[in-house]
Amino acid sequence: ALFALMTQIVTGILLALIYAPTPGEAYSSLRYIMADLTAGPVVRGLHHWGASIMIIVVVLHMIQVFIWGAYKKPREMNWIVGCVLLLLTLAFGLSGYLLPWDNRAYWGTTVTTQIMSQAPVAGPYLLRLLGSDGGSIGVVTFARFYAAHVLILPPLTLLLAGFHLFLMRKHGVTPVPADSHLPKK
């Protein structure tokens, strides 16, 4: 998961150097990356497929931690931080989905925002927060998804991943069988 995160960061920085984050230019800049830029398809492919791989790896990691019982005392906080990291990984996937600004991205985001709008009580607020208050995806939605994907989620993820690794080093990876003989506190 950490390797996938580092791959996403490096390829994301490389893409951000060329990508034009406006609805009018996003698709054209992506076409330029894919057709004219040296190694552009490789970098974009690594970022695109790396996002899916990262979600799969993080989910598999969570399953492994659950099966091994590594969420039990004294590792409860590490489990909670891991769950938040999973949610952040999914938020990366959601926010990055709109950025190619093609038909698939537009309609996929339209469906997602409409599903979120059906949340009890919070639905209209979520819709307004995502910038699609009128029900359509436009410049405001694009800007908010881009800001979340590039400015908000990366520092949060790096901070929590560092804390996650710190807790893992402090408490160890999994319970040691010899720990079962120690007195409970």
Side-chain angles (χ1 to χ4, degrees), residues 108-120:
T109 305
T110 300
V111 169
T112 303
T113 55
Q114 291 304 312
I115 290 171
M116 291 175 87
S117 73
Q118 300 303 311

Side-chain angles (χ1 to χ4, degrees), residues 58 61-62 76-89 160 164:
V58 171
H61 176 61
M62 296 291 286
E76 307 96 328
M77 188 62 187
N78 211 11
W79 172 257
I80 293 169
V81 171
C83 290
V84 173
L85 282 168
L86 173 63
L87 293 175
L88 287 174
T89 303
L160 283 176
H164 190 66

Side-chain angles (χ1 to χ4, degrees), residues 18 40 45 69 73 78 83 99 102 113 120 144 147 151 159 167 169:
I18 305 296
K73 191 172 184 171
N78 211 11
C83 290
L99 299 183
D102 55 5
T113 55
R144 289 186 182 171
L151 300 174
L159 183 70
L167 289 173
R169 296 293 293 160

